[in-house]
């Protein structure tokens, strides 16, 4: 059972996509360009225990979608 979520604080920190798979949180940030600096919110990581944290970009999106 997978539940999908989005997270944002009043200070506009956000997580683009969160999958909750049997209580394990997997976080994803999306950016088109791999060289563009993007990171998972430290506020979120400090508040919630995550299983994985990934940045998805134009070089690795195929594996995220399961087409590579």
């Amino acid at each position: 059972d997978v539940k999908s979520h989005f997270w944002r604080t009043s200070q506009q920190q956000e997580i683009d996509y969160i999958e909750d798979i049997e209580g394990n949180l997997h976080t994803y940030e999306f950016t088109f360009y791999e060289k563009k600096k993007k990171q998972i919110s430290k506020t979120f990581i400090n508040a919630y225990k995550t299983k994985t944290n990934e940045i998805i970009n134009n070089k690795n999106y195929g594996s995220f979608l399961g087409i590579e």
Side-chain angles (χ1 to χ4, degrees):
D1 186 30
V2 177
K3 296 179 183 128
S4 300
H5 304 279
F6 170 83
W7 178 86
R8 184 183 324 194
T9 68
S10 57
Q11 293 83 21
Q12 303 303 310
Q13 293 178 325
E14 67 178 32
I15 302 292
D16 292 334
Y17 181 64
I18 303 165
E19 286 186 334
D20 179 346
I21 303 171
E22 297 178 0
N24 294 308
L25 299 179
H26 303 267
T27 62
Y28 303 92
E29 282 294 316
F30 298 95
T31 182
F32 184 75
Y33 300 104
E34 72 175 306
K35 293 183 181 181
K36 185 176 179 181
K37 297 291 182 193
K38 189 103 172 169
Q39 62 183 9
I40 305 294
S41 166
K42 291 187 188 330
T43 302
F44 184 87
I45 290 173
N46 290 333
Y48 303 95
K49 183 177 178 187
T50 59
K51 183 87 171 175
T52 62
N53 303 294
E54 294 187 51
I55 306 297
I56 306 301
N57 57 45
N58 62 327
K59 299 288 186 191
N60 66 1
Y61 74 92
S63 61
F64 173 75
L65 295 174
I67 58 175
E68 284 187 355

